[in-house]
Amino acid sequence: MEFGSSFGTCFKAATRSKHQRFSFRVSAVSYKEFAESALQETRKRVVLEPSPLQERYSSMTGLDGKTQLQMLAFKSPKIRLLRSMAIENETIQVFDFAGFMKPEYDTPIFCANVFTSANMNIVVLDLNPLHQLTDQTDYQDKYYKNIMSIYHKYDEIFPWGGKLTGESIKFFSPLVMWTRFSSSQEKHQALFSAFLEYYQAWLEMTIQVKEEMEPSQVRANLEAQHKYLTWRAQKDPGHGLLRKLLGEAKAKALLRDFLFNGVDELDTKTFIDYFPEYETEGGTVSDKRSIIGKSFETRPWDSNGRFIGYESELEEVRIRKSSIKSLRTLC
């Protein structure tokens, strides 16, 4: 299963099994504790203020009259937006927590996405790199080299969750926890611990980072964040779920104004400007999850965080060619 379709597929399954007996009660899990603990950790080190977004987005009720959406939004002298969204009904829970820095800082983007149904959990937990790591070794050394142990602490508990598209992988770091698992109290407790450790690492980065004074670098940071927001606002796998819960207009507003706030304010570039390969003959954006067709079924980084995905692909091609040559020789 591609990551891009995971949320929608699981939402349909949860809806179909609404009247079935659950082996694990969704209500037994609460992601409010995740957000509250992260905010407590933040307030120990940083002065937080409510974001203006809090006035516009605090809570919503789904079209079914039962699903509740709760939102929180803050800012600080360095953090442009620290926001949380929790969705809850009797069949699913969704938790989406993110932190975006002001353009004067090149700190990674904190990202936590969790989908929970009766029997399945889909998790993405990462410090998304602001600048792509394949050609930014200094950036990787600066932010990831000394914290890879956090990932290795949990890699056996939460193994790689399946295919990720080649386009999506560019927005993840070697620290990424991308996993799927069956619900259990032990797994959810481990996920809570991992979430806090990842968040504490990110929070420490925000405290230590120095303000960038070079205008060209500030501009590069701004454009990198805007590119990330533009991708997520257009291709986020949660769009289908929000559309079912709220309708198209409210879902789009929530995505662009709240979840990925800045996509309409930080820059004027469009999705096609950043990703021209997605433009259709009619000038619209293709609905395809992947244009390049490459996906990663296994983790494409080695234990030290070095990207080896394309090296593995080349090795597969070499082995395939060698096998064909051997067969021809035998024939």
Side-chain angles (χ1 to χ4, degrees), residues 53-64:
L53 291 172
Q54 189 65 68
E55 297 180 8
R56 306 204 308 267
Y57 295 94
S58 58
S59 65
M60 303 175 74
T61 301
L63 295 174
D64 59 3

Side-chain angles (χ1 to χ4, degrees), residues 179-215:
T179 190
R180 290 180 291 181
F181 61 89
S182 299
S183 291
S184 72
Q185 204 61 47
E186 293 75 18
K187 283 290 184 77
H188 284 288
Q189 186 57 49
L191 180 61
F192 175 71
S193 298
F195 169 79
L196 274 188
E197 286 201 53
Y198 272 63
Y199 185 73
Q200 288 166 346
W202 179 80
L203 191 58
E204 188 61 30
M205 290 178 183
T206 70
I207 295 169
Q208 297 295 329
V209 68
K210 303 299 182 182
E211 181 177 356
E212 180 59 61
M213 305 305 293
E214 178 60 44

